[in-house]
């Protein structure tokens, strides 16, 4: 296991990134090295490990960031209880072969306090998760924009950033931000990692008791139903999948829709016809103390 280098300031991050990129380019000046950034909020699990693995496989230098971003929490209690497990995180990052870990303090990220100027996620940030968490995606895009600037290569290199498809709305918005605001970074989406029972891995799953976890499995079952129908070329019959979730005691469904994967606009109902093109099934539900989100790309 390698031990990743831990840096906590922007200056250290830049110096260490430059050193590692120069080392990667040494001996072959015509080859442009690649740098990957994997932003996280820590409390790392197998889902994060898969992002690190994808980044490690394709890049010379891999940086992970660990920062619980207060801007994206609309509920102070949620921010307060968000798990912070840096020692265990560093161990996982070491096993995953990450080179650099950027774990800044709040003061380092927001030296003047909460920023007055922020990135707006626009209308796409006000629906689905944005509807129940006002300002959440503005906070996400603001910190991701900052991380793109802070982690970007200062010497010639290709720059890639890795995000999980688990947070489908987040990755769709980051792709739009990069396109709309001309960030010089390639966004890579990584498939959802699920536990053996089907539940999508999440840092919040630790707050579920055994019964709640069992109840939560209806979410991945309902998505699998849609995936199976799409794969078989059958009409999706979303209402039947919604009914499956609604009938599960202990699960309070918030939304369950089939949307355009890029714009996240709802697609019209299937009217008895199979899917005509790519689609994304998106859902959110409250189970016990946590709000869970999950999704499936169709077909
Ligand atoms: P977080 O630390 O929860 O902000 O997540 C950091 C990154 O890990 C985000 O890009 C998430 O989408 C990704 N991620 C979280 N859970 C999973 C999962 N189960 N599968 C794939 N990626 C995930």
């Amino acid at each position: 296991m390698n031990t990743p280098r831990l840096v906590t300031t922007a200056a250290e991050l830049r110096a260490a990134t430059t050193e590692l990129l120069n080392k990667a380019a040494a001996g072959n000046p015509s080859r442009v090295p690649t740098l990957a950034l994997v932003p996280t909020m820590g409390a790392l699990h197998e889902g994060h490990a898969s992002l690190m693995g994808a980044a490690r496989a394709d890049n010379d230098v891999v940086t992970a960031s660990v920062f619980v971003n207060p801007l994206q929490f609309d509920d102070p209690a949620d921010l307060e209880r968000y798990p912070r497990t840096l020692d265990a995180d560093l161990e996982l990052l070491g096993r995953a072969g990450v080179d650099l870990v950027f774990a800044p303090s709040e003061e380092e990220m927001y030296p003047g306090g909460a920023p007055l100027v922020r990135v707006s996620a626009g209308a796409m940030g006000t629906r689905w998760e944005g509807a129940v968490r006002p300002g959440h995606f503005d906070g996400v895009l603001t910190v991701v924009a900052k991380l793109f600037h802070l982690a970007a290569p200062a010497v010639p290199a290709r720059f890639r950033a890795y995000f999980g498809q688990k947070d489908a709305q987040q990755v769709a918005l980051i792709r739009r931000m990069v396109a709309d605001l001309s960030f010089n970074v390639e966004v890579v989406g990584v498939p959802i990692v699920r536990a053996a029972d089907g539940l999508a891995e999440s840092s919040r799953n630790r707050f579920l008791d055994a019964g709640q976890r069992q109840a939560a499995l209806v979410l991945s079952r309902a998505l699998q139903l849609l995936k199976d129908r799409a794969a078989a070329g059958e009409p999706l019959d979303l209402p039947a999948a919604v009914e499956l979730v609604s009938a599960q005691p202990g699960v309070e469904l918030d939304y369950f829709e089939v949307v355009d994967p890029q714009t996240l606009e709802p697609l019209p109902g299937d009217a008895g016809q199979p899917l005509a093109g790519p689609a994304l099934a998106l859902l959110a539900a409250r189970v016990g103390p946590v709000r869970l989100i999950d999704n499936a790309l169709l077909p």
Side-chain angles (χ1 to χ4, degrees), residues 146-159:
K146 280 187 72 103
L147 288 168
F148 283 169
H149 291 310
L150 295 173
V155 291
R158 279 180 68 181
F159 187 31

Side-chain angles (χ1 to χ4, degrees), residues 38-52 65 67 72 82 162-168 170-171 174 188 190-195 199-205:
V38 190
T40 81
M41 296 205 300
L44 303 182
H45 50 64
E46 286 312 305
H48 300 106
S50 148
L51 298 187
M52 307 302 159
S65 62
F67 179 62
Q72 70 192 68
Y82 199 85
Y162 288 73
F163 294 91
Q165 186 58 36
K166 160 80 182 358
D167 298 285
Q170 172 172 285
V171 70
I174 289 166
V188 182
V190 179
I192 300 179
V193 174
R194 298 180 180 281
L199 188 65
E201 295 282 7
S202 163
S203 309
R204 293 189 165 91
N205 291 350

